[in-house]
Amino acid sequence: MTAAITATGITKRYGPVEALRGVDLEVAQGEVLALLGPNGAGKTTFAEILEGFRQPIVLQSAGFFEALTPREITAHFASFYPTPLDVDSVVEMVGLKEKRDARCKNLSGGQKRRVDLALGIVGNPELIFLDEPTTGLDPQGRRQIWEVVRNFTALGKTVLLTTLLPG
Ligand SMILES: Nc1ncnc2c1ncn2[C@@H]1O[C@H](COP(=O)(O)OP(=O)(O)O)[C@@H](O)[C@H]1O
Ligand SMILES: [Mg+2]
């Protein structure tokens, strides 16, 4: 069994705030691991440390591309990677088949989050981090995210996600 993530004794302080205290974690390849916890539990801090403090893969919003369509943006991002996934399959996988040729500025908030997700996976990464991917989505949108996660791991890929646990 190959480990996709191995973390040992992860600790993080923000001045007086001890956000993480000695977190150990191993995630196997092809596994989905969800970090559950209320606001302030340290989920984002932990995920960002594993990401190497780099920009999250999934963008906060597709606002820069309002005049483009989901298909155009996804194809554009696909062109940045050596072995991208098929653009139309990705657009369909995130549930935007009917909206693939609509201008992004005319999409609903939930549909824009699906575009973000498409941009996150089109590069065909081995491992994806999704920080509260279902926040702000309707029940159908949430199911679609889990479906994408399943499709993704069916390809032998690994997912680490965080979910807000209602208090
Ligand atoms: N840049 C920062 N500066 C100071 N404190 C921070 C910073 N980022 C997060 N924190 C604190 O660290 C704790 C964990 O935050 P965070 O990782 O964002 O939690 P979650 O994602 O689970 O809601 C909280 O107490 C939060 O206030
Ligand atoms: Mg967070």
Side-chain angles (χ1 to χ4, degrees):
M1 188 172 68
T2 318
I5 301 174
T6 305
T8 310
I10 303 294
T11 295
K12 176 69 184 174
R13 279 189 159 279
Y14 296 104
V17 177
E18 192 177 30
L20 300 172
R21 185 193 301 148
V23 181
D24 298 329
L25 179 78
E26 184 156 305
V27 185
Q29 205 181 321
E31 195 167 58
V32 179
L33 184 108
L35 304 173
L36 306 179
N39 282 134
K43 305 179 297 295
T44 293
T45 298
F46 188 60
E48 290 189 348
I49 285 171
L50 297 180
E51 289 159 11
F53 285 120
R54 274 188 270 183
Q55 288 290 317
I57 294 171
V58 173
L59 305 177
Q60 197 73 35
S61 92
F64 294 127
F65 310 104
E66 297 277 272
L68 300 179
T69 70
R71 204 164 171 279
E72 287 167 344
I73 300 168
T74 307
H76 186 57
F77 271 68
S79 74
F80 299 156
Y81 298 94
T83 55
L85 296 171
D86 176 68
V87 170
D88 285 323
S89 306
V90 168
V91 170
E92 187 171 348
M93 210 196 278
V94 300
L96 285 174
K97 195 176 178 185
E98 276 91 62
K99 293 287 178 181
R100 66 182 195 180
D101 296 318
R103 302 265 164 246
C104 278
K105 62 169 179 261
N106 297 328
L107 298 180
S108 73
Q111 288 165 340
K112 286 179 181 173
R113 309 252 4 236
R114 293 166 193 223
V115 174
D116 296 338
L117 187 59
L119 303 187
I121 63 177
V122 74
N124 198 13
E126 284 306 309
L127 168 64
I128 49 171
F129 293 94
L130 299 172
D131 193 355
E132 294 191 26
T134 58
T135 300
L137 293 186
D138 61 16
Q140 190 205 353
R142 277 182 221 162
R143 277 195 296 276
Q144 213 124 29
I145 296 275
W146 303 135
E147 182 72 25
V148 170
V149 167
R150 267 193 298 275
N151 286 335
F152 200 72
T153 53
L155 300 172
K157 295 163 183 300
T158 309
V159 180
L160 186 138
L161 60 90
T162 76
T163 298
L164 178 65
L165 197 65

